[in-house]
Amino acid sequence: GYVNARLEKETPIFNKQRIDFAPPEKINSLVVSSNQLCMSLGKDTLLRIDLGKPDEPNQVELGRKDEAKVYKMFLDHTGSHLLIALNTGECLYLNRSVQKVRALSRWKGHLIESVGWNKFLGSETNTGPILVGTAQGQIFEAEISVSEGSLFSTNPDQYFRQVYTLEEESGPAPVCCLETERGIEGKFFIIATTRKRLFQFVGKVPEGTEQQGFSSIFAMHADHLPSFREFPANLGFSEIAFYTPKLRSNPRSFAWMMGNGVLYGTLDYSRPDSILSDERVWVYPSDIDITVNKPISIVLTQFHFLLLLPDRVKAVCTLNGQVVFQDLFLEKFGLLTRMIKDPTVQQIWIHTEKVVFRYHVQRESRDVWKMYMNMNKFDLAKEYCKDRPECLDIVLAKEAEHCFQNKRYLDSAKCYALTQNYFEEIALKFIEAKQEEALMEFLIKKLSNLKPSEKTQTTLLTTWLTELYLNWLGILEGDPSQRNLYLDTREKFRTFLSSPKNKDCLFNNRASIYELLASHGDTEHMVYFAVIMQDYERVVAHHCQHDEYDEALNVLSRHRDEKLFYKFSPVLIQHIPKKVVDAWISMGSRLDARNLIPALVNYSQSASTQQINEAIRYMEFCVYQLEETQQAIHNYLLSLYALCRPDSLLSYLEQAGTNPNRIHYDLKYALRLCAEHGHHHACVHIYKVMELYEEAVDLALQVDVDLAKSCADLPEDDEELRKKLWLKIARHVVQEEKDVKKAMACLSSCALLKIEDVLPFFPDFVTIDHFKEAICNSLEDYNKHIEELKREMEEATQSAKRIREDIQEMRNKYGSVEPQEKCAACDFPLLNRPFYLFLCGHMFHYDCLLQAVFPNLPAYKQAKLEDLQKKLAATSQPSKSHHRPKDADTISLGKGQQSREQIKADIDDIVAAECVYCGELMIRSIDKPFIDPQKYEEEMQSWL
């Protein structure tokens, strides 16, 4: 529920304020419009105040020398035109922009009681055609115009002509009030009141002729009375008040204060003959006696009319006629004289002869909702408590109760769902009344108003609604006369299940919903709900259980869920193989064919050849279209070919090629499979791929000699094996086929075979005539080979002789070194230290050459060179013993000298193998930088 705590006292609707103003003389009359206030003080003074600038009042003297007094004053809607009626039958005029009062000469002789201003054509300088009512019952039409240039030279009243006379049963009666309103389509309504009658004049003024006035409207009623309302009682006067909402130009309601009470109603401008609508008479409160303390003035607001009495103000609600406000004035202020309202700012003014009060209307509609609610006008009540949820809740509860009592259960449920009343109480109320449909409506509305955080309540309502819907559908389904209602309810239930707002709750509690649907045996909605929940597994399973295999496949194809295909394909392929394979193919690479092989294996074991063809079709799609490389797929296709399509088997193997690294099937498995089914050609091909040429030839000889020949030539790099294979073929031809000619053809097919290789295979009784030519050819080949060997021996002898001569010549070769020659590396004299001389002419000191060569040697040669240098240094050290026997010393010296020379030779082989400038070392170093990258920065800094 709501907590309505008011910490401060609420301000009243009509808040009174006394104006800080002490008039020098008594106030005769006061008028206000458009924030312009005019009051008559004493006999001759007029005070004008712009309420926007109250500190700058303007005082005007009437300039009257006689005993005339102000009778009434009238101020137009713009606050610009002020009419002052005197009790002598004269009328004065004052414009807001001037200081001088002007007498209206044409008006003289008439006591003015009322003025109907022209709100459509009036401006600050021109009133437009206006209506003037007199105490003698006459209605005049007049116009007042003021212009800057001729203000003092012409009369302001343009014309003043009588258009009508109002009468009561006793004759002419004073025109108490006049009001002019414009309706639709150029229609005008004129309201005029006397003491007991309210007249309406209705007529059209042609467009563009509004400036000509209202004479035409009154002329229409010259021969007959206009429509009027009459009441018997008489106050001696009457007054009518209007309420105009903000931002509107036309009044919306009226209140006419007369002898029998207040006639209140609304104004309907669309009616043809009368503007007054929804009229009712509110009698005066019991404490008002029109013979003693009759009301003086009336003012109308949106929901109240205020009555001015001599000592108090009463506010009566227009909705129920109850007095809701009363304000008593102290005697010291004097008797209340008049009450008026400024229509533009909705402020109410009251004055006595000495004091002025102002009422502010604040939040007038605050309690209107309650009144409308008590009148059972719930839509209006809700309209006026939109921003007050605690009040709206009360209205909704009252409306719900009202509908329930009038057996409008659905409307009651909708209202109850919006209230804060206890859920259990309301639900029990509908259950006791046996109104399941209304209960469902209540639960649906309640569910729609729940917040996302209220998960428990959402779950409860969702489950309960499902149960109610299923019960209701079960009842309706068994009654043929309720077919339309059943279809409508079914549609509502499906909308409820598919509602996005309920989706999360239904998904989280789908197990409970499934149980409910199953308990009611409603398989139709179980499938529907499963589709909404995207629980396609349950949908497909349902179709399969009911042998609806095409429907199951349609669901799979529509939602393209790979896991569901894997799960249900074993069942579906048993019944609709072609369609299933078509669906697999349409899925393309989204399906992993390895996961479908179990389904195909089970299917193919019990199926006919025609059904196996479907399995082959899908496997071929995977291999040739999707280019699958999985070994299991290729192996299974091989098994299917071996079982049903031997021709396709060999073409598949040949298409796969002979490179074992690019073959996707298992060679050993394929060999075993083909052997089991007796496909020898296929086995021969597999042996060839496995490079088992002997086995390939052996098996091929059982099938076709030509096939064996093609196998025998395959090991191109192994002549010995080729010869061996061809010998196998020859032996088979001679011993098995006993065909000498074919054996001779084998000799011509392979150059490696000789007649002598084949002869052992022939039986002893074979005559030489069959292979005489072959033997002769073989002998000729031997002779040619012998001659070739002789020629090669002679060439080798000549080459050896030339090499010996070159060696001898090299031993005697020498070079000369001049004394001034320098080392090519260090540019110092060469003869100062041991040196090397190369054939190219470059000369290097031993240590310079070693320094240039060593960094470019491989690591193992660097290590060997360092080891040789250490050994050389060790042999050059003098002997530590001076007492060795002479013979021993000689022996050791000889051995040391020999070892030292060998070490030097080994060092020379490494260091002086080639010139460092002309050999490969210089070629290999061509891409090396001149400066070591690691020392580049250091080198660069040294140049700065």
Side-chain angles (χ1 to χ4, degrees):
Y2 296 99
V3 178
N4 185 18
R6 298 184 180 181
L7 301 180
E8 296 181 6
K9 187 177 180 181
E10 194 170 37
T11 56
I13 295 174
F14 302 101
N15 191 20
K16 183 173 69 175
Q17 174 190 8
R18 180 181 173 183
I19 304 301
D20 186 13
F21 170 69
E25 299 180 74
K26 71 175 184 177
I27 302 172
N28 297 320
S29 181
L30 184 146
V31 287
V32 182
S33 184
S34 294
N35 242 8
Q36 302 296 316
L37 184 145
C38 301
M39 67 172 72
S40 168
L41 300 176
K43 177 183 172 184
D44 200 43
T45 304
L46 195 66
L47 189 64
R48 294 189 295 184
I49 302 173
D50 183 347
L51 296 175
K53 298 181 258 183
D55 297 333
E56 302 175 13
N58 175 249
Q59 187 170 318
V60 178
E61 299 299 329
L62 297 181
R64 303 292 297 185
K65 304 297 183 184
D66 52 16
E67 295 298 322
K69 295 180 181 179
V70 174
Y71 176 61
K72 282 185 179 180
M73 293 199 304
F74 308 95
L75 187 62
D76 80 316
H77 62 286
T78 66
S80 302
H81 307 282
L82 177 65
L83 291 173
I84 306 156
L86 304 179
N87 59 356
T88 57
E90 295 178 81
C91 193
L92 307 178
Y93 170 74
L94 180 63
N95 190 277
R96 186 169 67 182
S97 60
V98 299
Q99 286 288 104
K100 186 176 180 181
V101 177
R102 302 293 303 277
L104 301 176
S105 57
R106 292 188 175 91
W107 296 40
K108 193 170 182 180
H110 301 283
L111 184 61
I112 308 302
E113 285 284 348
S114 56
V115 175
W117 297 103
N118 193 323
K119 292 180 282 188
F120 321 107
L121 298 176
S123 66
E124 292 185 0
T125 58
N126 189 292
T127 62
I130 61 174
L131 298 176
V132 180
T134 68
Q136 290 77 33
Q138 299 160 315
I139 298 178
F140 289 88
E141 185 180 75
E143 183 176 357
I144 301 173
S145 180
V146 182
S147 60
E148 293 289 340
S150 59
L151 184 61
F152 301 106
S153 59
T154 59
N155 291 328
D157 48 337
Q158 302 295 309
Y159 62 87
F160 190 75
R161 57 175 176 261
Q162 184 176 349
V163 291
Y164 203 80
T165 301
L166 293 184
E167 295 185 356
E168 293 180 351
E169 69 277 2
S170 58
V175 182
C176 298
C177 298
L178 281 170
E179 181 75 14
T180 305
E181 296 298 338
R182 182 167 59 182
I184 58 176
E185 298 177 352
K187 189 178 289 187
F188 280 82
F189 297 89
I190 299 171
I191 297 175
T193 67
T194 61
R195 293 166 296 189
K196 296 165 59 176
R197 290 184 178 180
L198 186 150
F199 294 88
Q200 288 188 78
F201 298 88
V202 183
K204 282 190 176 181
V205 175
E207 189 175 354
T209 64
E210 292 90 345
Q211 196 65 43
Q212 297 177 11
F214 306 104
S215 303
S216 59
I217 297 176
F218 287 103
M220 294 167 58
H221 300 87
D223 300 330
H224 61 277
L225 281 174
S227 64
F228 65 89
R229 297 291 308 276
E230 183 173 12
F231 293 89
N234 187 353
L235 285 176
F237 63 94
S238 72
E239 184 174 343
I240 193 168
F242 295 91
Y243 167 70
T244 305
K246 287 182 180 178
L247 306 177
R248 285 188 57 180
S249 58
N250 292 333
R252 194 174 69 185
S253 55
F254 73 97
W256 181 39
M257 183 182 72
M258 41 76 184
N260 289 82
V262 176
L263 176 67
Y264 173 79
T266 58
L267 301 177
D268 185 354
Y269 297 92
S270 62
R271 296 180 65 181
D273 54 352
S274 173
I275 194 174
L276 308 182
S277 178
D278 298 331
E279 301 168 56
R280 72 182 71 175
V281 177
W282 294 117
V283 297
Y284 293 120
S286 58
D287 59 342
I288 296 180
D289 184 355
I290 62 172
T291 60
V292 181
N293 58 340
K294 63 178 69 173
I296 304 168
S297 291
I298 186 170
V299 161
L300 181 62
T301 62
Q302 185 176 5
F303 295 106
H304 302 86
F305 58 82
L306 282 74
L307 296 174
L308 182 69
L309 300 168
D311 61 347
R312 71 193 64 190
V313 172
K314 284 182 181 288
V316 179
C317 179
T318 57
L319 299 177
N320 56 15
Q322 300 296 315
V323 176
V324 297
F325 173 78
Q326 179 169 285
D327 195 4
L328 192 63
F329 286 76
L330 300 176
E331 291 184 8
K332 66 177 183 178
F333 298 136
L335 296 177
L336 301 178
T337 308
R338 182 141 173 84
M339 175 174 63
I340 53 173
K341 186 180 76 167
D342 186 343
T344 56
V345 294
Q346 305 295 328
Q347 290 179 349
I348 300 168
W349 296 79
I350 297 174
H351 71 92
T352 67
E353 291 184 345
K354 300 185 282 185
V355 185
V356 178
F357 297 94
R358 177 170 58 190
Y359 280 97
H360 291 275
V361 183
Q362 296 181 328
R363 294 180 56 235
E364 184 183 1
S365 61
R366 67 183 73 172
D367 294 324
V368 168
W369 65 271
K370 196 180 297 181
M371 298 173 192
Y372 278 129
M373 180 184 70
N374 293 331
M375 297 162 64
N376 293 336
K377 294 184 177 181
F378 299 109
D379 289 338
L380 288 171
K382 286 184 279 191
E383 186 71 25
Y384 284 100
C385 56
K386 269 195 226 170
D387 303 327
R388 299 169 67 184
E390 72 281 0
C391 302
L392 182 60
D393 190 65
I394 296 170
V395 174
L396 287 168
K398 183 74 180 291
E399 183 181 8
E401 185 63 31
H402 175 77
C403 292
F404 193 91
Q405 308 245 336
N406 288 279
K407 301 189 184 304
R408 290 163 48 206
Y409 296 111
L410 285 176
D411 293 336
S412 176
K414 291 174 184 176
C415 292
Y416 268 132
L418 299 173
T419 68
Q420 298 294 317
N421 289 24
Y422 288 115
F423 172 82
E424 297 84 352
E425 289 181 5
I426 300 167
L428 285 171
K429 199 168 186 177
F430 286 116
I431 292 171
E432 289 170 0
K434 297 182 180 179
Q435 294 296 321
E436 279 201 6
E437 192 176 358
L439 176 61
M440 288 164 59
E441 187 67 32
F442 168 68
L443 295 179
I444 290 169
K445 292 293 182 185
K446 202 72 178 174
L447 179 63
S448 66
N449 293 329
L450 288 177
K451 298 174 184 175
S453 59
E454 297 174 308
K455 296 185 187 285
T456 305
Q457 294 90 326
T458 303
T459 302
L460 171 67
L461 292 180
T462 303
T463 311
W464 193 1
L465 272 168
T466 304
E467 175 70 25
L468 289 173
Y469 266 121
L470 291 172
N471 285 338
W472 189 236
L473 285 170
I475 294 168
L476 294 174
E477 191 174 14
D479 188 352
S481 63
Q482 300 287 339
R483 180 64 181 169
N484 290 335
L485 181 58
Y486 167 77
L487 294 175
D488 185 49
T489 306
R490 186 182 69 175
E491 190 60 34
K492 286 181 181 177
F493 181 43
R494 292 186 174 185
T495 304
F496 166 75
L497 290 177
S498 59
S499 168
K501 187 170 183 181
N502 302 333
K503 185 175 181 181
D504 289 341
C505 177
L506 289 169
F507 182 80
N508 295 331
N509 299 280
R510 59 188 182 279
S512 302
I513 304 298
Y514 281 130
E515 288 178 9
L516 280 174
L517 291 164
S519 67
H520 284 265
D522 194 342
T523 55
E524 179 187 359
H525 283 107
M526 184 181 290
V527 173
Y528 182 82
F529 180 67
V531 171
I532 292 171
M533 293 294 103
Q534 297 183 354
D535 190 359
Y536 302 117
E537 182 176 349
R538 189 180 293 268
V539 177
V540 177
H542 169 81
H543 288 310
C544 290
Q545 288 169 4
H546 292 79
D547 297 337
E548 298 169 352
Y549 302 110
D550 287 331
E551 285 298 321
L553 185 60
N554 287 339
V555 173
L556 289 176
S557 301
R558 191 160 54 246
H559 299 289
R560 306 174 73 82
D561 188 328
E562 299 89 348
K563 293 180 180 178
L564 294 182
F565 266 104
Y566 300 146
K567 181 169 183 176
F568 291 101
S569 287
V571 176
L572 295 175
I573 200 167
Q574 300 289 338
H575 302 279
I576 46 172
K578 185 178 185 307
K579 292 181 180 179
V580 171
V581 171
D582 289 340
W584 288 351
I585 291 174
S586 69
M587 287 287 287
S589 60
R590 291 183 60 177
L591 289 179
D592 187 346
R594 291 178 302 173
N595 295 328
L596 297 172
I597 289 176
L600 291 170
V601 169
N602 292 335
Y603 168 65
S604 59
Q605 285 176 351
S606 59
S608 65
T609 304
Q610 182 179 0
Q611 291 169 321
I612 291 175
N613 287 338
E614 293 300 326
I616 293 175
R617 181 162 70 96
Y618 180 63
M619 287 293 107
E620 287 179 339
F621 169 76
C622 294
V623 170
Y624 298 121
Q625 300 297 323
L626 300 182
E627 299 181 353
E628 285 282 359
T629 59
Q630 297 292 336
Q631 192 177 78
I633 296 171
H634 287 263
N635 286 348
Y636 183 57
L637 180 59
L638 265 175
S639 69
L640 294 174
Y641 280 151
L643 187 63
C644 291
R645 292 191 192 173
D647 297 338
S648 299
L649 172 65
L650 189 59
S651 63
Y652 165 78
L653 292 173
E654 291 173 349
Q655 188 173 348
T658 57
N659 186 348
N661 297 323
R662 303 181 68 178
I663 285 175
H664 304 303
Y665 58 84
D666 186 339
L667 288 167
K668 294 180 180 178
Y669 171 75
L671 183 62
R672 185 174 70 251
L673 197 66
C674 295
E676 286 176 0
H677 290 86
H679 303 312
H680 296 308
H681 276 84
C683 288
V684 170
H685 178 84
I686 295 170
Y687 277 134
K688 289 194 292 186
V689 174
M690 297 172 72
E691 298 182 355
L692 299 175
Y693 301 115
E694 288 189 51
E695 289 81 351
V697 170
D698 289 341
L699 185 59
L701 288 173
Q702 299 177 24
V703 180
D704 183 12
V705 174
D706 291 335
L707 178 62
K709 289 180 180 180
S710 66
C711 295
D713 282 333
L714 289 176
E716 297 176 354
D717 300 331
D718 191 345
E719 289 187 354
E720 185 179 348
L721 179 59
R722 284 173 58 205
K723 184 176 181 180
K724 184 179 179 181
L725 298 176
W726 276 104
L727 283 173
K728 281 178 177 285
I729 296 170
R731 175 180 294 181
H732 174 81
V733 170
V734 173
Q735 294 180 352
E736 300 297 330
E737 298 185 7
K738 297 182 173 51
D739 189 340
V740 178
K741 291 184 178 180
K742 194 179 284 190
M744 292 302 101
C746 286
L747 289 176
S748 61
S749 299
C750 179
L752 299 176
L753 286 184
K754 305 296 181 185
I755 186 63
E756 59 268 29
D757 298 325
V758 181
L759 282 176
F761 304 145
F762 288 98
D764 295 338
F765 58 83
V766 176
T767 61
I768 198 169
D769 296 339
H770 292 92
F771 38 83
K772 178 175 64 175
E773 184 180 352
I775 293 172
C776 293
N777 290 337
S778 179
L779 291 174
E780 288 177 4
D781 289 341
Y782 277 122
N783 287 333
K784 289 179 183 178
H785 186 58
I786 290 168
E787 291 298 325
E788 187 72 27
L789 288 175
K790 286 180 181 179
R791 190 167 56 252
E792 289 177 359
M793 289 172 66
E794 288 177 1
E795 288 177 359
T797 304
Q798 293 297 325
S799 296
K801 182 179 179 181
R802 284 194 297 272
I803 289 170
R804 282 194 296 271
E805 290 174 355
D806 290 343
I807 291 171
Q808 188 63 36
E809 185 179 350
M810 286 295 292
R811 285 178 180 169
N812 298 326
K813 197 165 187 177
Y814 66 93
S816 60
V817 179
E818 299 295 331
Q820 68 273 15
E821 292 288 351
K822 295 182 179 180
C823 173
C826 65
D827 206 30
F828 280 95
L830 185 69
L831 299 177
N832 289 353
R833 302 198 298 276
F835 64 89
Y836 288 99
L837 171 63
F838 291 94
L839 293 176
C840 60
H842 288 114
M843 296 170 250
F844 300 92
H845 289 128
Y846 166 76
D847 54 343
C848 293
L849 182 63
L850 181 65
Q851 187 177 359
V853 170
F854 186 82
N856 297 289
L857 291 173
Y860 75 93
K861 281 193 176 183
Q862 289 181 352
K864 184 177 180 182
L865 183 60
E866 289 176 350
D867 185 51
L868 289 171
Q869 285 177 325
K870 288 178 183 178
K871 287 181 180 180
L872 182 64
T875 57
S876 63
Q877 290 178 355
S879 176
K880 295 180 182 179
S881 174
H882 298 282
H883 305 286
R884 287 183 182 175
K886 183 176 179 181
D887 295 339
D889 188 53
T890 305
I891 293 167
S892 111
L893 181 62
K895 286 183 181 178
Q897 187 68 27
Q898 185 180 3
S899 177
R900 182 181 176 83
E901 291 300 327
Q902 182 63 42
I903 293 168
K904 276 186 169 184
D906 291 342
I907 291 173
D908 288 346
D909 288 342
I910 296 172
V911 175
E914 60 182 358
C915 175
V916 72
Y917 285 171
C918 301
E920 289 185 9
L921 180 63
M922 184 58 66
I923 296 171
R924 287 198 302 270
S925 66
I926 192 137
D927 59 345
K928 290 184 179 180
F930 292 110
I931 302 173
D932 188 350
Q934 296 179 352
K935 298 180 180 179
Y936 182 80
E937 290 294 332
E938 181 183 344
E939 188 70 24
M940 188 173 68
Q941 291 296 328
S942 67
W943 283 77
L944 297 176

